[in-house]
């Protein structure tokens, strides 16, 4: 403690936003210390943007004395001051224009367009604050504050490594709704159960008498929702976690509360939660707390490949993800008939309560599994946990660059306009080099890959939008002809180098402490961010987009891998495949020692931190033909390998894709295993024939025939009617699903016997009763296996049970 009315607080920021106080926008923060959560206000910080005047002699007082109005509202300027900025590597004098209200910034910046170029007028106020204060919400802060008019007013805020040791608390929850129309209707159908779980306690709130020790019986739905609010207040979690809760659970409770005339206050400030759109992802803001939708987190971790356990699942239901992570089966009920169980016997009610509780307990397991990585992603990128939970890798890279740009007084580029984006998309960047394989089955393969190829190229050649030059004399020149000055270092390579260096240090610490979840998560977070920089440079919506930069990275990569494969051929190896940053060699008459000698010779020639690594030696590999290509031409990114240790690596086959049925993927897996492990083409063929027979005889479970596809757009915005779209529309018409359950989600459908076209035959898995065997034989099993077995001389007719083998 300091002098009376003042204090020092150390901890983490669990939430940051702003409130309007009169005509002022004032920053508000929830700081969690070891003892409590404190609400801090900072009225000293003003929203602002930069203006680089056309007239360098423009007097700041000229602007500060001007009076602006927009839509009848005065756009007040608080102050105008001269500052020095670096804009694309050029030192520039700019005007920093502060306003009282963040709402004024967009309109004010438009009014001042006639005076100069605007910068940083499109940055959210709370994000602007943490950039300028050089703090990351979960990385620890030290705050000095005093009490004024009953509020805790901030005097000083600085980073503090010790504060990061404080961990956010959480609660996981789930709701069950009455659903006689299958798809629940928030204006009519009540919420019937709310379950919750933390690491210490769990329970179920409901409105019917259920004699279970974990059940709290409320007098009605209104009382139940208010009791849930009380649970939140009692536990006082920093994080409220759900599963698809931003899309369903929280909005449903908000609508039911409004219908019942009650205040659904799960915030820390006595306010309402509010729905937001974050690009294509829906979010819910809970002031003073973090809303974390674990569904979004699981999808993100799967997309970036941060968990092998998620790679092979077809859909992201709570049960599927829980099963993939734990290996256990979560308790289930027939969700279509929850309303009947609610209206049913005592035993059915008890079963429903057990199921409801299992949802929250299972979610708590997933939260604890995923949250260490998500926290480190937030820390590395310098944003809040809530923001990290709904961000793409490109957005995370942008946060990192914005953070370092702000710290180094570099102007943050503005977001591109829609016309900018359209122009960028119309002029695609040439991608990586691919040497397609000759289709076939090979023995004795060695695979090499360049470690962190694209990040290494960016750093080694100082590739950055600000380092592009035409008249510089000391430069790196890419194969495209683009030039990048050798110094000083641009922000993109500078940040990349820092991330890679930090990861190297974290990995050393992790080796000493292999049980540390924090170190493992931070290493993974740093890897995810570092590997995303190239994609961000070429992303059409990027602030730091540069066609020359992105094109040069791939050009350097193509040149390097082509030259290295030529060296391999000269050394006596046979190159059978190459793609982006890796290549596959046949040892032929060469030995493993020869391969390692070649590896050392290449590394001796590589510049900077670039390094060629041995991935593994493989006993056998299968490369398949490319559809529509000439006889023998292989497909890129589609192969299966068997390592000397007995591990099978599969790339590009339906087995690792989610938009094929389970029967196609499983049949393909068994075929590959028969060929790779046993070298038996006869067994592989017999596997396919048995599956074809089972399909024709009707001996296949419908769940193995479900095809999963994500609806990425609004249902009404599609031009053509695909099978998944037809199934979705039919589910809407029949009242089986509502749009909130379908749009942006994964559709599971079956091709049934009813209908003339394939699309018309599609029906969601919840209601499908039959299947079309001819479709699954010809359009699922055959495409998945024939591309492999034709390399062994088999034809489609043979696999279907007719014809003879054409070649051996």
């Amino acid at each position: 403690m300091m002098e009376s009315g003042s204090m020092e607080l150390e901890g983490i920021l669990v939430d940051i936003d702003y409130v309007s106080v009169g005509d002022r926008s004032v920053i508000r923060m929830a700081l969690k210390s070891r003892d409590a959560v404190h609400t801090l206000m900072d009225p000293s910080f003003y929203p602002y943007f930069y203006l680089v005047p056309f007239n360098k002699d423009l007097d700041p007082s000229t602007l500060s004395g001007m009076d602006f109005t927009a839509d009848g509202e005065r756009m007040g300027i608080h102050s105008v001051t001269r500052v020095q900025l670096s804009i694309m590597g050029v030192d520039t004098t700019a005007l920093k224009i502060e306003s009282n209200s963040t709402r004024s910034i967009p309109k004010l910046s438009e009014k001042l367009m006639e005076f100069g170029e605007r910068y940083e007028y499109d940055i959210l106020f709370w994000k602007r604050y943490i950039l300028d204060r050089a703090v990351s919400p979960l990385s620890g802060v030290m705050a000095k504050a005093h009490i004024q008019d009953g509020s805790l007013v901030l005097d000083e805020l600085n980073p503090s490594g010790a504060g990061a040791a404080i961990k956010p608390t959480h609660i996981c929850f789930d709701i069950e709704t009455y659903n006689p129309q299958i798809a629940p209707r928030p204006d009519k159908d009540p919420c019937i159960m709310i379950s919750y779980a933390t690491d210490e306690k769990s329970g179920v709130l409901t409105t019917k008498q259920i004699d279970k020790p974990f059940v709290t019986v409320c007098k009605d739905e209104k009382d139940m929702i208010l009791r849930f609010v009380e649970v939140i207040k009692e536990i006082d979690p920093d994080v409220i976690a759900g599963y698809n809760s931003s899309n369903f659970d929280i909005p449903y409770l908000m609508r039911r509360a409004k219908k019942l005339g009650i205040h659904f206050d799960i915030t820390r400030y006595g306010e309402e939660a509010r729905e937001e759109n974050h690009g294509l992802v829906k979010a819910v803001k809970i002031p003073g707390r973090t809303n974390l939708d674990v569904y979004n987190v699981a999808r993100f971790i799967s997309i970036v490949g941060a968990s092998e356990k998620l790679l092979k699942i077809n859909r992201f239901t709570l049960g599927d993800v829980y099963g993939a992570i734990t290996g256990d089966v979560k308790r289930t009920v027939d969700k279509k008939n929850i309303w009947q169980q609610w209206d049913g016997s005592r035993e059915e009610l008890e079963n429903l309560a057990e199921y409801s509780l299992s949802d929250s307990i299972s979610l708590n397991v997933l939260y604890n599994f995923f949250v260490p990585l998500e926290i480190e992603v937030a820390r590395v990128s310098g944003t809040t946990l809530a923001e990290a939970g709904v961000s793409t890798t490109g957005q995370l890279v942008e946060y990192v660059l914005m953070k370092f740009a702000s710290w180094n007084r570099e102007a943050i580029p503005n977001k591109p306009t829609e016309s900018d984006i359209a122009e960028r998309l119309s002029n695609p960047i040439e991608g990586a080099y691919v040497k397609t394989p000759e289709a076939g089955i090979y023995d004795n393969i060695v695979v090499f890959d360049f470690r962190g190829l694209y990040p290494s190229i960016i750093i080694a050649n100082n590739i950055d939008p600000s380092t592009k030059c035409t008249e510089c004399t000391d430069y790196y020149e890419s194969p495209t002809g683009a030039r990048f000055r050798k110094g000083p270092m641009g922000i993109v390579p500078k940040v990349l180098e820092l991330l890679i260096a930090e990861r190297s240090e974290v990995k050393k610490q992790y080796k000493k402490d292999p049980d540390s979840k924090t170190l493992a998560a931070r290493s993974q977070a740093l890897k995810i961010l570092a590997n995303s920089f190239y994609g961000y440079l070429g992303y059409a919506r990027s602030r730091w987009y540069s066609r020359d930069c992105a094109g040069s990275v791939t050009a350097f990569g193509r040149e390097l891998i082509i030259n290295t494969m030529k060296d391999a051929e000269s050394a006596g190896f046979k190159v059978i495949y190459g793609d982006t940053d890796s290549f596959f060699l046949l040892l032929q008459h060469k030995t493993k020692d020869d391969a390692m000698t070649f590896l050392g010779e290449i590394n001796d020639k590589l510049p900077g931190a670039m390094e060629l690594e041995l991935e593994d030696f493989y006993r056998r590999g299968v490369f398949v033909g490319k559809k529509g290509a000439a006889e023998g031409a292989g497909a890129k990114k589609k192969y299966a390998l068997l390592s000397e240790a007995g591990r099978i690596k599969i790339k590009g086959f339906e087995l690792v894709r989610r938009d094929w049925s389970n029967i196609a993927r499983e049949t393909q897996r068994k075929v590959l295993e028969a060929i790779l492990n046993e070298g038996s083409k006869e067994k592989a063929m017999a596997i396919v024939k048995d599956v074809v027979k089972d399909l024709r005889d009707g001996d296949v479970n419908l769940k193995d025939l479900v095809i999963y596809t994500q609806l990425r757009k609004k249902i009404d915005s599609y031009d053509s009617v695909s099978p998944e779209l037809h199934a979705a529309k039919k589910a809407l018409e029949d009242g089986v699903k509502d749009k909130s359950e379908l749009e942006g989600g994964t559709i599971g459908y079956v091709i049934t016997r009813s209908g003339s076209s394939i699309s018309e035959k599609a029906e969601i898995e919840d209601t499908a009763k039959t299947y079309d065997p001819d479709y699954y034989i010809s359009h699922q099993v055959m495409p998945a296996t024939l591309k492999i077995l034709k390399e062994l001389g088999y034809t489609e007719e043979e696999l279907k049970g007719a014809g003879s083998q054409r070649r051996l």
Side-chain angles (χ1 to χ4, degrees):
M1 294 288 288
M2 301 168 63
E3 61 186 68
S4 179
S6 299
M7 63 182 69
E8 285 187 347
L9 299 168
E10 190 171 39
I12 55 173
L13 297 178
V14 295
D15 185 50
I16 179 168
D17 60 5
Y18 71 92
V19 291
S20 295
V21 180
D23 65 345
R24 284 290 318 282
S25 295
V26 178
I27 287 291
R28 176 177 65 179
M29 293 165 281
L31 186 150
K32 180 183 181 65
S33 68
R34 295 189 184 280
D35 304 317
V37 177
H38 310 269
T39 301
L40 294 171
M41 311 294 286
D42 189 351
S44 68
F45 191 77
Y46 289 81
Y48 69 86
F49 66 98
Y50 294 114
L51 185 79
V52 178
F54 299 133
N55 178 5
K56 294 181 180 179
D57 298 324
L58 180 67
D59 189 333
S61 64
T62 303
L63 297 181
S64 59
M66 299 180 75
D67 191 37
F68 297 99
T69 58
D71 302 325
E73 183 178 354
R74 185 175 181 276
M75 301 290 104
I77 295 177
H78 173 70
S79 68
V80 181
T81 54
R82 280 198 175 95
V83 296
Q84 289 300 121
L85 287 178
S86 174
I87 299 180
M88 285 295 146
V90 179
D91 288 336
T92 306
T93 299
L95 298 178
K96 180 180 180 181
I97 300 172
E98 292 184 327
S99 177
N100 285 330
S101 171
T102 186
R103 193 172 57 188
S104 301
I105 294 295
K107 298 173 183 177
L108 193 57
S109 68
E110 280 187 35
K111 289 287 185 181
L112 296 180
M113 283 176 64
E114 61 181 289
F115 294 96
E117 292 287 338
R118 306 164 297 153
Y119 290 90
E120 302 193 10
Y121 58 87
D122 55 5
I123 298 174
L124 296 175
F125 188 35
W126 68 265
K127 196 170 292 183
R128 166 89 281 162
Y129 184 82
I130 61 175
L131 290 174
D132 279 29
R133 293 292 190 251
V135 295
S136 290
L138 293 172
S139 293
V141 295
M142 171 66 79
K144 294 181 180 179
H146 68 276
I147 298 172
Q148 180 179 316
D149 298 330
S151 296
L152 202 53
V153 178
L154 187 74
D155 296 314
E156 192 177 330
L157 185 69
N158 294 297
S160 166
I166 297 172
K167 303 299 182 186
T169 58
H170 72 277
I171 186 173
C172 296
F173 85 102
D174 187 74
I175 70 171
E176 308 303 334
T177 56
Y178 196 70
N179 61 337
Q181 299 297 315
I182 299 181
R185 303 158 296 180
D187 60 324
K188 295 181 180 179
D189 298 324
C191 176
I192 54 177
M193 285 183 184
I194 304 175
S195 63
Y196 61 90
T198 69
D199 292 340
E200 292 79 29
K201 61 191 297 186
S202 60
V204 172
L205 309 175
T206 189
T207 59
K208 285 190 175 181
Q209 186 63 44
I210 299 175
D211 296 324
K212 290 286 183 179
F214 57 83
V215 172
T216 299
V217 180
C218 307
K219 64 180 181 180
D220 54 24
E221 183 190 11
K222 179 177 179 179
D223 184 44
M224 179 180 67
I225 295 175
L226 289 174
R227 177 62 190 131
F228 178 60
V229 171
E230 288 177 14
V231 169
I232 296 295
K233 301 294 184 185
E234 290 166 5
I235 295 174
D236 195 23
D238 304 311
V239 181
I240 298 178
Y243 203 84
N244 199 31
S245 53
S246 295
N247 195 52
F248 179 72
D249 300 67
I250 298 178
Y252 203 94
L253 287 174
M254 290 168 66
R255 287 163 177 72
R256 290 305 299 164
K258 186 176 181 180
K259 178 81 173 178
L260 297 167
I262 55 178
H263 184 42
F264 183 61
D265 173 23
I266 56 174
T267 75
R268 276 197 164 116
Y269 306 132
E271 303 171 6
E272 294 277 358
R274 58 182 184 269
E275 296 178 72
E276 299 176 340
N277 284 321
H278 195 283
L280 298 176
V281 179
K282 290 184 178 179
V284 175
K285 171 70 176 174
I286 306 176
R289 308 187 197 277
T290 291
N291 169 48
L292 191 68
D293 193 329
V294 179
Y295 169 79
N296 292 332
V297 175
R299 289 197 64 88
F300 171 83
I301 289 176
S302 173
I303 289 168
V304 300
S307 174
E308 290 187 8
K309 294 179 178 181
L310 294 182
L311 291 180
K312 296 180 181 180
I313 66 173
N314 304 311
R315 56 180 184 171
F316 284 80
T317 67
L318 177 59
D320 288 325
V321 176
Y322 177 79
I325 296 301
T326 66
D328 295 331
V329 177
K330 193 188 81 65
R331 190 184 188 102
T332 60
V333 298
D334 185 353
K335 297 198 76 169
K336 301 189 299 292
N337 298 321
I338 282 179
W339 67 282
Q340 291 178 323
Q341 296 167 65
W342 178 251
D343 290 337
S345 65
R346 184 184 70 177
E347 184 179 350
E348 287 176 305
L349 276 174
E350 290 177 351
N351 184 55
L352 191 58
E354 295 275 8
Y355 163 74
S356 179
L357 183 66
S358 74
D359 272 0
S360 288
I361 291 175
S362 299
L363 177 57
N364 193 58
V365 172
L366 296 185
Y367 175 90
N368 286 322
F369 180 84
F370 289 132
V371 83
L373 176 58
E374 201 64 24
I375 285 176
E376 293 307 319
V377 165
R379 284 174 172 168
V380 172
S381 58
T383 192
T384 63
L385 182 59
E387 187 86 353
V390 291
S391 295
T392 63
T393 53
Q395 289 166 331
L396 294 170
V397 168
E398 189 158 281
Y399 302 154
V400 176
L401 290 174
M402 289 171 69
K403 177 173 69 173
F404 280 88
S406 179
W407 293 358
N408 289 280
R409 303 296 294 165
E410 294 190 30
I412 297 169
N414 299 324
K415 289 180 180 178
T417 64
E418 289 303 317
S419 61
D420 290 334
I421 294 167
E423 183 181 351
R424 294 171 180 182
L425 291 172
S426 68
N427 194 14
I429 296 162
E430 185 178 355
Y433 171 79
V434 177
K435 172 183 168 56
T436 56
E438 183 177 339
I441 299 171
Y442 300 91
D443 291 334
N444 299 323
I445 301 168
V446 58
V447 179
F448 293 115
D449 59 39
F450 288 98
R451 183 180 66 184
L453 178 61
Y454 285 174
S456 298
I457 288 172
I458 292 170
I459 294 168
N461 298 283
N462 201 22
I463 295 175
D464 185 272
S466 71
T467 63
K468 290 190 299 179
C469 59
T470 54
E471 299 180 2
C472 47
T473 56
D474 195 16
Y475 56 83
Y476 300 103
E477 184 169 345
S478 88
T480 67
R483 295 177 178 180
F484 304 91
R485 69 170 195 273
K486 289 190 174 181
M489 209 169 190
I491 186 173
V492 171
K494 185 189 301 180
V495 172
L496 256 179
E497 190 172 60
L498 289 170
L499 293 179
I500 292 169
E502 183 183 350
R503 183 165 188 250
S504 178
E505 184 58 34
V506 168
K507 287 171 75 174
K508 289 178 186 176
Q509 295 175 27
Y510 184 50
K511 283 184 179 179
K512 297 177 183 177
D513 185 10
D515 295 327
S516 172
K517 290 183 180 179
T518 298
L519 289 173
R522 189 159 187 87
S523 176
Q524 187 70 265
L526 289 162
K527 179 182 178 181
I528 291 168
L529 268 293
N531 287 341
S532 302
F533 271 67
Y534 158 70
Y536 178 74
L537 285 172
Y539 175 49
R541 296 183 180 275
S542 161
R543 290 178 185 267
W544 273 270
Y545 171 89
S546 171
R547 192 173 192 280
D548 280 339
C549 289
S552 293
V553 174
T554 54
F556 274 122
R558 290 193 300 272
E559 182 179 73
L560 180 62
I561 198 165
I562 289 170
N563 289 338
T564 307
M565 288 193 299
K566 286 180 180 177
D567 289 341
E569 293 278 3
S570 298
F573 299 95
K574 180 177 175 58
V575 180
I576 56 171
Y577 179 53
D579 186 0
T580 310
D581 60 356
S582 62
F583 54 94
F584 299 54
L585 306 178
L586 290 182
L587 288 178
Q588 299 187 116
H589 59 280
K590 293 283 186 177
T591 66
K592 293 181 188 176
D593 288 341
D594 293 331
M596 297 309 293
T597 299
F598 168 74
L599 176 67
E601 291 171 350
I602 293 298
N603 280 326
D604 287 342
K605 298 190 295 183
L606 291 176
M610 280 189 198
E611 184 179 359
L612 185 66
E613 293 183 316
L614 169 71
E615 180 187 287
D616 212 341
F617 290 98
Y618 294 93
R619 286 163 41 198
R620 186 172 292 122
V622 176
F623 295 85
V624 302
K626 183 179 180 181
K627 185 177 181 181
E631 182 74 21
K636 64 180 181 179
K637 297 184 187 295
K638 187 168 277 192
Y639 54 83
L641 301 170
L642 176 67
S643 75
E644 293 189 332
R647 293 187 299 272
I648 293 179
K649 177 181 179 179
I650 296 174
K651 184 82 171 180
F653 284 108
E654 285 67 38
L655 177 56
V656 292
R657 285 174 51 184
R658 301 186 182 98
D659 55 351
W660 283 69
S661 64
N662 189 54
I663 196 165
R665 291 182 296 107
E666 279 300 295
T667 306
Q668 187 182 77
R669 179 183 63 79
K670 292 176 181 177
V671 165
L672 286 171
E673 287 179 348
I675 295 169
L676 292 173
N677 278 320
E678 303 176 40
S680 174
K681 59 181 183 290
E682 293 81 12
K683 181 174 181 179
M685 184 179 182
I687 288 167
V688 178
K689 283 189 170 184
D690 286 346
V691 171
V692 169
K693 182 178 185 301
D694 288 344
L695 280 165
R696 285 177 174 153
D697 293 345
D699 290 338
V700 177
N701 195 309
L702 277 175
K703 72 178 182 180
D704 290 324
L705 304 176
V706 180
I707 302 166
Y708 296 99
T709 304
Q710 187 178 11
L711 287 181
R712 299 185 182 277
K713 300 189 294 185
K714 301 290 185 183
I715 289 175
D716 298 330
S717 66
Y718 286 88
D719 295 327
S720 58
V721 181
S722 59
E724 64 270 20
L725 190 61
H726 184 273
K729 286 186 172 182
K730 188 173 187 299
L732 284 176
E733 292 168 3
D734 294 345
V736 175
K737 298 278 186 182
D738 61 30
K739 284 188 176 182
S740 67
E741 295 178 277
L742 298 170
E743 292 177 342
T746 300
I747 304 297
Y749 65 91
V750 175
I751 303 300
T752 68
R753 294 177 181 271
S754 303
S756 54
S757 68
I758 291 176
S759 290
E760 289 176 1
K761 291 180 177 183
E763 192 168 335
I764 64 168
E765 58 179 311
D766 305 67
T767 56
K769 297 293 189 295
T770 65
Y771 71 85
D772 181 350
D774 291 333
Y775 169 81
Y776 285 96
I777 292 169
S778 298
H779 296 281
Q780 290 279 311
V781 175
M782 286 299 115
T785 57
L786 184 61
K787 60 188 67 177
I788 304 167
L789 291 174
K790 75 176 182 180
E791 306 307 331
L792 300 175
Y794 292 112
T795 65
E796 184 173 349
E797 289 74 22
E798 289 176 274
L799 296 178
K800 288 182 177 179
S804 59
Q805 186 178 358
R806 58 182 170 85
R807 61 181 171 87
L808 291 175

